[in-house]
Amino acid sequence: QVHLVESGGGWVQPGRSLRLSCAVSGYDLNRYAVGWFRQAPGKEREGILCISDKSGSAYLANSVKDRFSISRDLTTNTVYLRMNSLKPEDTAIYYCATRVSYCSNRETQYISWGQGTQVTVSS
């Protein structure tokens, strides 16, 4: 009943775009925020951006401010991560996670996590 499932990952060439989906079950998106995180090979997981229960967005990483955006569809309880101008350094496993109300860049404040979807950016 309570779970998050990421999808939409895969291999893309640098400069292309990709949209990831986070299907949320068991959480009302009008009460919970959903954040996107990623973990690159050999690196720790980092926050990317988040959308709050009021639909406001918050960037958790400066490196993606001009390229990534977040949105949600309340009819399907799905949160999307739109990634433009992808770079090799964007290669990572991408996770979505939820916390109550508003956004935070602290992983410990998120109470539920998906299993992740792999994004590989290379030629």
Side-chain angles (χ1 to χ4, degrees), residues 37-40 43-47 93-95 107 113-114:
F37 297 77
R38 68 184 181 185
Q39 186 168 19
K43 297 183 179 181
E44 296 184 350
R45 189 159 56 191
E46 66 170 344
I93 301 175
Y94 284 73
Y95 302 88
E107 291 188 22
W113 292 79

Side-chain angles (χ1 to χ4, degrees), residues 38-65:
R38 68 184 181 185
Q39 186 168 19
K43 297 183 179 181
E44 296 184 350
R45 189 159 56 191
E46 66 170 344
I48 306 170
L49 72 170
C50 173
I51 187 166
S52 75
D53 59 338
K54 306 300 182 182
S55 76
S57 61
Y59 285 91
L60 309 181
N62 291 329
S63 61
V64 304
K65 282 186 175 180

Side-chain angles (χ1 to χ4, degrees), residues 13-18 66-68 83-87 90:
Q13 294 181 314
R16 301 303 299 268
S17 298
L18 196 65
D66 296 327
R67 300 185 296 120
F68 291 11
M83 305 183 293
N84 296 325
S85 302
L86 284 164
K87 305 175 181 179
D90 294 319

Side-chain angles (χ1 to χ4, degrees), residues 11 18-20 22 38-39 41 43 54-55 61 67 74-77 113 115 117 119:
W11 173 83
L18 196 65
R19 188 180 73 166
L20 305 182
C22 175
R38 68 184 181 185
Q39 186 168 19
K43 297 183 179 181
K54 306 300 182 182
S55 76
R67 300 185 296 120
L74 296 181
T75 65
T76 59
N77 231 44
W113 292 79
Q115 294 300 306
T117 184
V119 174

